[in-house]
Amino acid sequence: MARRKKIYEGKAKTLYEGPEPGTIVQYFKDDATAFNAEKRDVIEGKGVLNNLLSEYFMMGLNNIGVPTHFLKRLNMREQLVRACEIIPLEVVVRNYAAGSMSKRLGIDEGTQLPRPIIEYYYKDDKLGDPLITEEHIAAFGWASQQDMDDILSLALRVNDFLSGVMFGVGIRLIDFKIEIGRVYDGDFQRLVVADEISPDSCRLWDIETNQKLDKDVFRRDLGNLTDAYSEVARRLGVMPKNAATPIKPTLIN
Ligand code: TMP
C-alpha cells in the first residue's frame, strides 16, 4: 500500500498531501492541548466532532460567499481542503470579555464589549503566540495593508455568521480565533478562511445557563470535553438526538 506524504503535524491536526495538486487532506486528531501544550491529553472522539463541526461552519461560510479553504469532508476524521499559504497570524474576534482579555484588562468574563474587538497574535509556538499590533504586521511584512483590510472584513463576516448560527441554537459566541490563508489563482492571490472552526478555537456559552461548551472545559477541568462538543453538534443537527456517535458521513462531490 502506498504511503501518503505527511506535510505537517500540528497539535490537533495532521496535514497530508491531497490527491490532486493544490489540495491537502486535514486529519483531525483526538489530541487536546492548552497553555501552549503544557497541558495535554487524548480525548476520544474530539477529532471526529471537530471534523464535522468545522465542515458545518466552513460549508455555511462558503454558502454565503465567505471564501474558505474547505472543499469536502472525506470521512469521519479527514477533510479535503485547498492548499494555501497560512499567514502567520491568529486573528481573534471578541464579542464578550473572557480568557486572556479579561486577565490582561481586568474585565469580568462575560461582560459584553461595546463592539466586536479584533486582536492579532503572532503565530509562533516557541514565543507562545504573542499579542501584536498592526504596526508589527506592517513593519515585519507579515501582511500588506490590502491583506489587513481583507482580513478585517473576513473576520467580521465570520463573526456575524457564527454569532447568528450559534444564537439560533441557544449558544452565545463569546470569542473565536481564525487563521487566514493565501491561495493563488494564476497571477492573482486571494485570502480565505483556513485551518478549522470548532469548539477548540471558539468560546461558546449556553445562553440560559452560561455553561461552557468549548475547550475551556479542558483548559479549566470543568467536565467532559466530548460531552460539551457533542452538545454543540447535537444542537446544530450535526449529530442525531441522544446519539453517542455523530451521523454517518455523506460524501459531497
Ligand atoms: P484567549 O482568550 O486565550 O486569548 O483566546 C481567545 C480565543 O482564541 C478563544 O476562543 C480561544 C482561541 N484560541 C485558539 O484557538 N488558540 C489558541 O492558541 C489560543 C490561546 C486561543
Side-chain angles (χ1 to χ4, degrees):
M1 210 159 77
R3 200 180 176 81
R4 62 184 166 176
K5 189 169 165 212
K6 190 191 280 189
I7 295 173
Y8 178 79
E9 177 147 13
K11 286 178 285 199
K13 294 186 294 300
T14 305
L15 305 184
Y16 296 97
E17 212 167 67
E20 287 158 40
T23 64
I24 282 182
V25 173
Q26 269 197 165
Y27 176 96
F28 286 74
K29 304 193 282 186
D30 280 341
D31 301 29
T33 64
F35 315 118
N36 207 10
E38 267 173 42
K39 180 180 169 112
R40 49 171 74 233
D41 205 349
V42 176
I43 300 190
E44 210 185 317
K46 180 178 85 88
V48 170
L49 285 157
N50 280 353
N51 184 26
L52 291 163
L53 284 164
S54 199
E55 172 196 23
Y56 181 85
F57 296 129
M58 294 285 188
M59 277 306 297
L61 288 168
N62 283 346
N63 285 335
I64 62 161
V66 178
T68 81
H69 71 160
F70 183 85
L71 294 172
K72 69 174 178 183
R73 183 160 57 79
L74 298 171
N75 55 51
M76 294 304 259
R77 289 213 178 251
E78 296 176 325
Q79 47 183 245
L80 189 69
V81 301
R82 274 195 76 165
C84 50
E85 208 175 276
I86 296 287
I87 295 179
L89 301 175
E90 304 218 331
V91 180
V92 170
V93 182
R94 301 179 186 270
N95 299 304
Y96 295 80
S100 69
M101 171 184 252
S102 287
K103 221 180 220 173
R104 189 176 298 116
L105 301 180
I107 306 172
D108 286 343
E109 289 204 306
T111 307
Q112 187 164 20
L113 300 171
R115 62 182 179 87
I117 294 178
I118 321 287
E119 294 175 340
Y120 303 100
Y121 294 81
Y122 181 50
K123 193 171 148 61
D124 185 324
D125 281 344
K126 288 193 295 297
L127 301 175
D129 300 339
L131 177 67
I132 52 172
T133 70
E134 289 189 60
E135 280 289 291
H136 300 95
I137 297 169
F140 296 121
W142 293 322
S144 67
Q145 190 52 54
Q146 179 65 56
D147 290 337
M148 293 312 291
D149 293 347
D150 293 348
I151 289 172
L152 178 65
S153 144
L154 282 174
L156 292 175
R157 290 191 74 192
V158 173
N159 187 41
D160 286 345
F161 170 77
L162 276 185
S163 295
V165 166
M166 298 319 296
F167 184 78
V169 295
I171 293 173
R172 199 186 305 282
L173 178 67
I174 301 295
D175 58 29
F176 65 93
K177 182 265 300 184
I178 50 171
E179 295 185 21
I180 306 291
R182 287 179 210 283
V183 295
Y184 295 95
D185 285 321
D187 288 346
F188 295 94
Q189 68 134 28
R190 58 197 182 91
L191 300 187
V192 299
V193 179
D195 189 52
E196 72 177 275
I197 300 178
S198 74
D200 267 13
S201 53
C202 301
R203 283 199 174 88
L204 306 169
W205 294 8
D206 180 82
I207 283 176
E208 299 286 325
T209 65
N210 285 339
Q211 187 193 351
K212 294 179 171 58
L213 299 170
D214 56 63
K215 202 162 98 177
D216 274 348
V217 170
F218 168 73
R219 294 189 189 97
R220 303 179 187 189
D221 296 317
L222 300 176
N224 184 302
L225 193 71
T226 39
D227 285 354
Y229 288 21
S230 297
E231 176 61 14
V232 176
R234 189 190 62 74
R235 290 195 199 185
L236 291 170
V238 171
M239 199 154 109
K241 277 196 185 89
N242 309 320
T245 50
I247 289 172
K248 272 211 152 45
T250 44
L251 282 176
I252 307 153
N253 286 307

